[in-house]
């Protein structure tokens, strides 16, 4: 009998509380000990865990029929794999009357065979009760409920259960679920040794339960969920990974060190994955996660070896970070001409070497070379984004990492380098020069990736004169300095138009696809132009025609459009939604565009699909369009038009709440739309004495809007609850969503326009309670963050201040004084600052609202005076 069966015997003996097993179980154990492993654990054509996931997703008869072949395959197997036995036992308890073949197969399993297989569980240390418990876990209504059931008991569970719950197609709504998975896994599967306690029989110094290969699969799934649900929690995942690496036992043959390096490097590479929403803004959390692993490595007696792909992953994250103080100083000194060599402003600049001006990404590339790794085209592409081309400086450009070609297509990274060199320019003229210079040097024609970057430069909007952005901070086009050029040189350097470049691309046999098609679609001047791009991309012309206005395509037709292309088309429909033109009537087909976008998104993003429950961008685009100041959705007065935009937004929000869930950006757009409706309603009203306003809201749906906004705010500000599992090394983020000063200021103003003073006071109390968190969020957007905090306090004082009693004012002042470190933006604004804030509203809504509030207060006080006089007279 093997050692594994000895361990199983010890576990099963301890579980049943007896030193003796029945004859039947002993015979079963002897049979398994002498049977070939391939008979007990045969190699199946389809993974039992995969079939189990399909069964979990199959909620309708149509889905069960679609996956019927996989279910039938599973029920006819008689292997000893736990996932397979679990699936068969679970299906045997379900109603399979509408699945006759499955029902027949399950019915063919006799009761004695079931008993034999359940008894056989004891060999692995499990029982039928354990199997029932696993079925109960998987029967949860959603991913969050299943994880909650997993961690609710300390009953031992096989490793495939948490691995299965973390699968990529699972959908989580709560960050606590991911935190619970990490804590549960680290507690039950990380430790390299275990101590016997009570009646448990265990072998000392046993290997960790979760080996490296399984941990890396678990980590990859975990990172996917975190970057979709709560990007800042990637820092918690890094601590989780560091704990695992420390727990890997060292060995005399260096195997332990090799395994630590394997996990360390794979984790660095996984942590480069951008967030699903606002990936550039959230890239700082990717960098924090990587720094935790790098610091952990440095703390070891023997630091871990960083391989080339990990160096590259660090650089891919660094190109997405905002400029440091030193990097900003270099960016200010760029020459206006191309190439952008640094200019010396003073003697200190003259003493600096070219290496001193390298960005963090370029310095990481230097370390890669010092470690013995050679540069390739992709590394040079990262260097171009970092501010250093192959033979001259470029513009340090904050960007997501470019596409990396691997394997047989690795040579295509030359085009990635070409494309990133075009991206790392300041305007269309510089981009066109780089576009042509690279072609001359290499003798190659540009591919779709290079054309995409050139189209983006041609479509870029000019940088506003009031902007403080530095080159590379944004996509806007910086001024072209061509005063010293002759007319002939200006004509030679002038880039082509978008139409000319597109015709050139098509004539060379290059089809628009991927990000190139995305750039063309979102900037198209008309729907007809967009349809041409779609047809040229290779999409079936009939399918393209079916998404036109006033048509309703089927779900199968919409699935022919890649998700990025579908999102781009929705974005174009919203961008082409017209603005108001005074009293001019707008054609119905123009007004229908955004409604058509909503209909298409509802058809494509079905609630029961993975896309429908995880993909938010189209909904966010629609809400942002409805929040535009002058967007027109109906031919009527501005007040009625804005009220209709708010009504459409509310319908969208209610749908999104039931499917993919609301995030902070959607909340911000709904606030703006509600504000817009209130301002236009105020402007449409005649000046009143206050009695006309009474206690009524500005528009009939104000109460419903208020209720929705309060519900959403309470959801996005719900703190991430710590679980009962003790694991002090994992520090979770305080909130699931990023609630910054911009959200708080907009919400405070919206509550003011909806005339809910009580909610305004609660919001201010929340801000004072979480001052430290808000300060950190303000630092992320630098000076603008603290200015928004000051504006939020001004909004409260301007619109809620006049209604506060003396006692309430003293209480608010006391709370402000109690806030630690109350300086700068965290102080009560002066009357002059409040008045300047009100007058700075160019739309006039703040002034009108303040007048309405003061009029209502005057009317209320005059009524009280009249009542007092009447009582005195009586």
């Amino acid at each position: 009998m093997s050692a594994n069966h000895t361990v199983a015997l010890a576990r099963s003996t301890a579980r049943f509380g007896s030193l003796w097993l029945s004859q039947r179980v002993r015979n079963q154990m002897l049979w398994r000990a002498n049977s070939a492993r391939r008979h007990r654990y045969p190699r199946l054509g389809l993974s039992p865990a995969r079939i189990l996931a399909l069964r979990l997703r199959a909620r309708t008869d149509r889905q069960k029929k679609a996956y019927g072949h996989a279910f039938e395959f599973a029920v006819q197997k008689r292997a000893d794999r736990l996932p397979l036995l679990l699936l068969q036992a679970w299906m045997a308890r379900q109603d399979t009357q509408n699945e006759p073949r499955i029902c027949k197969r399950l019915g063919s399993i006799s009761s004695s065979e079931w008993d034999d297989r359940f008894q056989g569980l004891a060999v692995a240390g499990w029982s039928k009760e354990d199997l029932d418990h696993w079925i109960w876990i998987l029967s949860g209504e959603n991913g969050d409920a299943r994880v909650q059931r997993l961690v609710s008991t300390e009953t031992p569970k096989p490793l495939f259960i948490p691995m299965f719950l973390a699968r990529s197609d699972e959908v989580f709504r709560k960050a606590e679920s991911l935190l619970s998975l990490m804590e549960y896994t680290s507690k039950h599967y990380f430790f390299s040794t275990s101590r016997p306690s009570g009646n448990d029989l265990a072998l000392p110094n046993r290997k960790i339960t979760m080996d490296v290969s399984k941990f890396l699969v678990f980590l990859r799934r975990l990172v996917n969920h975190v970057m979709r649900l709560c990007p800042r929690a990637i820092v918690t995942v890094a601590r989780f990974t560091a704990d695992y690496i420390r727990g890997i036992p060292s060995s005399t043959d260096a195997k332990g060190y090799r395994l630590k390096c394997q996990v360390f490097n794979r984790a660095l590479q996984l942590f480069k994955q951008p967030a699903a929403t606002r990936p550039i803004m959230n890239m700082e959390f990717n960098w924090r996660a990587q720094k935790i692993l790098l610091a952990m490595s440095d703390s070891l007696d023997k630091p871990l070896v960083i391989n080339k792909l990990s160096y590259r992953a660090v650089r891919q994250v660094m190109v997405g970070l905002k400029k440091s103080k030193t990097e900003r100083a270099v960016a200010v000194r760029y020459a206006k001409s191309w190439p952008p060599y640094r200019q010396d402003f003073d003697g200190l600049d003259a003493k600096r070497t070219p290496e001193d001006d390298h960005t963090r990404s370029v310095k990481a590339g230097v370390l890669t070379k010092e470690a013995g790794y050679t540069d390739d085209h992709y590394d040079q592409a990262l260097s171009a984004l970092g501010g250093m081309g192959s033979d001259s400086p470029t513009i340090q450009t904050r960007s997501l990492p470019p596409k990396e070609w691997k394997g047989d297509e690795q040579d295509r990274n030359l085009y990635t380098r070409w494309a990133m060199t075009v991206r790392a320019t300041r305007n269309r003229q510089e981009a066109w020069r780089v576009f042509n210079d690279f072609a001359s040097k290499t003798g190659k024609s540009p591919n779709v990736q290079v054309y995409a970057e050139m189209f983006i430069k041609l479509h870029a909007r000019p940088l506003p004169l009031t902007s403080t952005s530095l080159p590379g901070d944004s996509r806007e086009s910086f001024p072209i300095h061509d005063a010293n050029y002759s007319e002939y040189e200006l004509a030679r350097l002038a880039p082509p138009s978008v139409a000319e470049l597109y015709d050139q691309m098509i004539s060379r046999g290059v089809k628009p696809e991927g990000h190139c098609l995305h750039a063309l679609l979102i900037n198209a001047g008309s729907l007809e132009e967009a349809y041409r791009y779609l047809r040229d991309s290779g999409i079936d012309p009939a399918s393209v025609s079916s998404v036109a206005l006033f048509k309703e395509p089927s779900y199968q037709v919409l699935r022919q459009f890649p998700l990025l292309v579908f999102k781009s088309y929705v974005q174009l429909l919203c961008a082409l939604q017209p603005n108001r033109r005074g009293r001019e009537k707008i054609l119905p087909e123009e007004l229908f565009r955004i409604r058509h976008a909503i209909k298409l998104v509802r058809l494509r993003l079905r609630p029961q699909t993975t896309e429908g429950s995880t993909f938010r961008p189209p909904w966010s685009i629609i809400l942002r369009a409805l929040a535009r100041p002058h967007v027109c959705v109906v031919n009527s007065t501005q007040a009625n038009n804005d009220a209709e935009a708010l009504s459409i937004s509310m319908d969208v929000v209610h749908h999104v709440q039931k499917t993919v869930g609301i995030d902070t950006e959607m909340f911000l757009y709904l606030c703006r739309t509600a504000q817009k409706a209130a301002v236009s309603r105020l402007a449409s009203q005649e000046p009143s004495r206050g009695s006309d306003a009474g206690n009524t809201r500005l528009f009939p749906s104000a109460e419903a809007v208020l209720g929705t906004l309060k519900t959403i705010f309470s959801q996005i500000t719900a703190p991430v609850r710590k679980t009962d599992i003790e694991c002090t090394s994992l520090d979770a983020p305080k909130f699931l969503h990023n609630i910054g000063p911009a959200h708080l200021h907009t919400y405070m103003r919206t509550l003011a326009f909806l005339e809910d003073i009580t909610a305004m006071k609660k919001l201010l109390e929340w801000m004072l309670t979480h001052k430290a968190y808000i300060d950190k969020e303000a630092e992320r957007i630098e000076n603008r963050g603290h200015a928004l905090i000051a504006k939020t306090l001004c909004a409260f004082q301007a619109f809620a201040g006049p209604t506060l009693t003396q006692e309430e004012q003293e209480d608010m002042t006391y709370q402000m004084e109690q806030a630690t470190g109350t300086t700068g933006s965290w102080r009560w604004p002066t009357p002059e600052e409040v008045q300047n804030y009100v007058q700075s509203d160019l739309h006039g809504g703040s002034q009108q609202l303040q007048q309405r509030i003061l009029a209502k207060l005057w009317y209320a006080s005059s009524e009280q005076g009249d009542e007092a006089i009447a009582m005195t007279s009586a």
Side-chain angles (χ1 to χ4, degrees):
M1 188 177 292
S2 67
N4 288 337
H5 286 89
T6 304
V7 176
L9 174 61
R11 292 183 62 185
S12 61
T13 302
R15 181 178 302 279
F16 290 107
S18 171
L19 294 176
W20 302 104
L21 297 175
S22 66
Q23 182 65 36
R24 179 171 187 156
V25 176
R26 285 204 304 271
N27 292 339
Q28 190 81 1
M29 292 173 59
L30 289 172
W31 178 82
R32 280 170 166 74
N34 293 290
S35 297
R37 179 176 177 81
R38 66 176 179 271
H39 179 80
R40 292 181 286 117
Y41 303 102
R43 188 179 298 276
L44 303 178
L46 192 60
S47 165
R50 176 59 181 160
I51 303 175
L52 188 59
L54 292 176
R55 190 66 185 180
L56 202 61
R57 292 175 57 185
R59 297 181 179 273
T60 65
D61 290 340
R62 183 176 180 180
Q63 291 173 323
K64 291 177 181 178
K65 183 178 180 180
Y67 305 138
H69 67 285
F71 301 149
E72 186 177 355
F73 169 82
V75 296
Q76 66 184 356
K77 295 298 179 181
R78 297 295 181 268
D80 282 355
R81 293 188 177 186
L82 287 179
L84 187 62
L85 181 57
L86 171 62
L87 173 62
Q88 293 173 349
W90 188 27
M91 292 177 66
R93 301 183 184 189
Q94 297 175 352
D95 183 7
T96 57
Q97 294 298 320
N98 294 331
E99 303 170 271
R101 297 174 68 89
I102 304 297
C103 186
K104 181 179 178 181
R105 292 285 186 182
L106 290 172
S108 66
I109 306 177
S110 64
S111 58
S112 61
E113 188 175 355
W114 280 118
D115 292 341
D116 180 67
R117 300 183 73 189
F118 290 149
Q119 288 289 348
L121 284 173
V123 178
W126 308 110
S127 67
K128 182 178 180 299
E129 289 71 25
D130 291 323
L131 194 67
D132 294 338
H133 184 63
W134 306 338
I135 292 176
W136 174 74
I137 291 174
L138 298 185
S139 300
E141 60 182 352
N142 52 47
D144 298 303
R146 285 188 277 272
V147 171
Q148 184 59 38
R149 291 185 177 189
L150 170 75
V151 303
S152 63
T153 65
E154 291 297 315
T155 306
K157 304 168 187 73
L159 180 58
F160 85 85
I161 296 291
M163 292 284 290
F164 176 79
L165 295 184
R167 69 193 186 283
S168 299
D169 63 350
E170 184 60 278
V171 178
F172 295 107
R173 297 273 187 244
K174 300 177 181 178
E176 292 93 333
S177 300
L178 300 176
L179 178 62
S180 297
L181 267 178
M182 285 186 279
E183 291 181 333
Y184 185 87
T185 304
S186 63
K187 179 178 180 180
H188 292 279
Y189 306 109
F190 271 25
F191 305 112
S192 58
T193 60
S194 62
R195 300 176 182 177
S197 60
N199 294 325
D200 291 340
L201 297 179
L203 298 178
N205 299 319
R206 65 176 176 86
K207 294 181 180 179
I208 55 175
T209 306
M210 179 179 277
D211 60 28
V212 166
S213 61
K214 288 186 173 62
F215 176 79
L216 292 179
V217 172
F218 185 79
L219 182 64
R220 174 177 55 80
R221 296 173 179 177
L222 200 59
V223 170
N224 287 336
H225 289 303
V226 163
M227 299 314 290
R228 182 192 64 81
L229 180 65
C230 182
R232 60 179 57 208
I234 192 67
V235 180
T236 306
V237 179
R239 298 191 182 98
F240 170 77
T241 306
D243 286 347
Y244 181 83
I245 294 175
R246 294 189 191 99
I248 296 177
S250 301
S251 57
T252 56
D253 59 356
K255 181 180 179 181
Y257 180 76
R258 179 177 58 80
L259 292 176
K260 288 182 180 181
C261 289
Q262 182 182 352
V263 177
F264 170 71
N265 283 285
R266 184 59 184 144
L268 285 175
Q269 295 160 37
L270 286 173
F271 293 166
K272 73 180 181 182
Q273 180 176 326
T277 56
R278 307 191 73 188
I280 291 286
M281 286 293 295
N282 286 308
M283 194 59 76
E284 66 174 280
F285 300 115
N286 297 69
W287 175 228
R288 290 184 196 177
Q290 288 183 333
K291 284 197 297 183
I292 287 175
L293 290 187
L294 294 171
M296 180 274 301
S297 173
D298 289 340
S299 68
L300 299 177
D301 296 335
K302 183 180 180 181
L304 304 176
V305 176
I306 307 176
N307 63 26
K308 181 177 180 178
L309 292 180
S310 296
Y311 273 116
R312 178 174 291 177
V314 170
R315 298 188 68 193
Q316 288 171 314
V317 170
M318 283 182 169
V319 296
L321 301 177
K322 62 182 179 183
K323 291 182 175 70
S324 65
K325 185 177 180 180
T326 303
E327 290 167 346
R328 292 184 67 84
V330 173
V332 170
R333 290 163 171 76
Y334 284 146
K336 304 300 182 183
S337 58
W338 188 267
Y341 291 104
R342 175 177 59 81
Q343 298 173 312
D344 294 337
F345 283 5
D346 51 34
L348 294 177
D349 288 344
K351 294 180 181 179
R352 291 175 62 86
T353 65
E355 290 74 20
D356 293 332
D357 294 335
H358 285 173
T359 63
R360 289 167 290 180
S361 176
V362 173
K363 289 177 181 177
V366 173
L367 291 176
T368 306
K369 292 180 182 179
E370 292 177 352
Y373 304 113
T374 57
D375 262 2
D376 58 20
H377 289 307
Y378 190 82
D379 295 311
Q380 292 171 7
L382 293 176
S383 295
L385 291 176
M388 182 55 64
S390 57
D391 51 7
S392 67
T394 56
I395 300 297
Q396 180 194 358
T397 304
R398 190 179 186 186
S399 167
L400 290 177
K403 179 177 179 59
E404 180 181 0
W405 299 96
K406 300 178 181 179
D408 295 338
E409 296 182 312
Q410 190 172 0
D411 291 342
R412 298 180 67 180
N413 283 322
L414 170 68
Y415 295 101
T416 300
R417 173 187 163 198
W418 189 350
M420 293 307 102
T421 309
V422 172
R423 182 183 295 184
T425 56
R426 289 169 291 200
N427 50 57
R428 63 182 62 185
Q429 189 181 84
E430 292 178 354
W432 183 239
R433 177 175 175 176
V434 170
F435 183 93
N436 290 317
D437 287 350
F438 207 102
S440 300
K441 291 178 182 178
T442 60
K444 295 183 177 295
S445 297
N447 71 346
V448 67
Q449 190 177 3
V450 181
Y451 275 115
E453 295 300 327
M454 195 62 227
F455 282 126
I456 291 172
K457 288 294 182 180
L458 294 177
H459 281 298
R461 294 173 297 178
L463 185 76
L465 297 176
T466 57
S467 175
T468 59
S469 296
L470 293 173
D473 285 347
S474 61
R475 287 285 193 175
E476 282 83 8
S477 179
F478 278 71
I480 299 173
H481 295 273
D482 52 10
N484 297 326
Y485 293 155
S486 64
E487 292 186 6
Y488 170 79
E489 188 68 9
L490 290 175
R492 187 182 69 85
L493 296 176
S497 66
V498 172
E500 292 170 342
L501 186 65
Y502 184 78
D503 289 340
Q504 179 196 108
M505 183 181 75
I506 295 298
S507 67
R508 290 180 174 178
V510 180
K511 292 183 178 181
E513 59 184 12
H515 286 282
C516 180
L517 183 56
H518 166 72
L520 290 168
L521 283 176
I522 64 175
N523 292 291
S526 66
L527 291 178
E528 289 70 25
E529 182 182 344
Y531 297 149
R532 179 195 175 189
Y533 296 147
L534 290 172
R535 287 191 294 268
D536 289 345
S537 70
I539 298 177
D540 180 27
S543 300
V544 174
S545 300
S546 69
V547 298
L549 294 179
F550 305 109
K551 293 186 179 180
E552 186 170 336
S554 66
Y555 176 71
Q556 288 71 25
V557 168
L558 289 176
R559 289 278 296 174
Q560 295 182 22
F561 293 82
L563 206 52
L564 176 64
V565 174
F566 176 76
K567 187 204 80 169
S568 305
Y569 182 63
V570 170
Q571 189 170 345
L572 175 65
L573 287 170
C574 293
L576 293 180
Q577 184 70 18
N579 286 334
R580 289 179 54 79
R581 305 166 189 161
R583 295 187 177 182
E584 180 185 345
K585 296 291 184 181
I586 296 176
L587 296 176
E589 53 265 29
E590 294 185 64
L591 294 177
F592 185 69
R593 288 168 183 161
I594 199 165
R595 292 177 174 85
H596 184 58
I598 295 172
K599 181 176 69 174
L600 291 180
V601 176
R602 282 178 178 266
L603 289 172
R604 171 68 186 267
L605 301 182
R606 292 183 172 184
Q608 64 271 24
T609 63
T610 301
E611 291 177 349
S613 56
T614 59
F615 194 59
R616 287 194 183 99
W619 294 119
S620 186
I621 290 168
I622 290 169
L623 289 173
R624 181 176 62 195
L626 290 168
R628 271 168 30 201
H630 305 293
V631 68
C632 184
V633 294
V634 65
N635 281 316
S636 184
T637 63
Q638 183 174 350
N640 291 340
N641 174 78
D642 293 344
E644 179 64 17
L646 179 58
S647 175
I648 298 173
S649 294
M650 288 289 288
D651 290 340
V652 170
V653 165
H654 290 154
H655 176 81
V656 173
Q657 283 179 309
K658 299 173 184 176
T659 55
V660 70
I662 297 289
D663 61 14
T664 52
E665 295 309 298
M666 296 180 185
F667 172 72
L668 185 70
Y669 299 143
L670 181 60
C671 285
R672 290 176 181 172
T673 309
Q675 254 186 78
K676 181 177 63 171
V679 170
S680 60
R681 185 65 65 182
L682 268 175
S684 67
Q685 292 179 346
E686 295 292 333
S688 63
R689 297 181 296 105
S691 58
D692 297 339
N695 294 320
T696 60
R697 302 289 186 187
L698 279 172
F699 47 89
S701 62
E703 287 292 345
V705 175
L706 261 175
T708 300
L709 287 174
K710 289 184 194 178
T711 299
I712 296 174
F713 185 75
S714 65
Q715 291 172 348
I716 63 178
T717 56
V720 176
R721 295 188 299 274
K722 302 297 187 294
T723 61
D724 296 331
I725 302 175
E726 297 180 3
C727 187
T728 57
S729 63
L730 299 182
D731 184 17
K734 193 167 189 177
F735 299 105
L736 171 61
H737 300 279
N738 298 341
I739 307 103
H743 304 95
L744 297 172
H745 176 239
T746 304
Y747 185 44
M748 183 70 81
R749 283 182 58 84
T750 304
L751 291 175
F753 279 100
L754 296 179
E755 301 175 291
D756 193 333
I757 304 302
T758 302
M760 292 178 70
K761 290 188 286 188
K762 290 182 178 179
L763 176 58
L764 181 60
E765 291 172 358
W766 184 91
M767 291 176 61
L768 294 174
T769 303
H770 300 92
K771 175 184 175 297
Y773 167 81
I774 297 173
D775 279 339
K776 289 181 180 179
E777 291 298 308
E779 289 294 335
R780 294 183 63 200
I781 53 177
E782 300 174 343
N783 295 335
R784 190 168 66 92
H786 295 290
L788 285 170
I789 294 175
K791 285 185 176 183
T792 306
L793 298 177
C794 284
F796 178 85
Q797 192 70 358
F799 307 127
T803 67
L804 298 180
T805 63
Q806 183 66 28
E807 183 180 354
E808 288 175 328
Q809 290 179 350
E810 293 175 355
D811 181 55
M812 288 293 177
T813 303
Y814 175 77
Q815 291 186 49
M816 182 69 75
E817 292 173 351
Q818 291 301 307
T820 56
T822 302
T823 56
S825 55
W826 288 95
R827 60 173 179 80
W828 282 119
T830 63
E832 292 78 12
E833 290 171 333
V834 172
Q835 197 58 29
N836 289 337
Y837 170 78
V838 173
Q839 296 301 323
S840 66
D841 186 352
L842 300 180
H843 299 289
S846 296
Q847 299 94 310
Q848 294 170 337
L849 178 62
Q850 192 179 52
Q851 292 171 5
R852 176 181 170 89
I853 291 172
L854 294 176
K856 290 176 69 174
L857 288 174
W858 177 86
Y859 179 73
S861 61
S862 63
E863 276 193 332
Q864 291 177 358
D866 292 342
E867 290 176 1
I869 293 173
M871 291 179 64
T872 303
S873 302

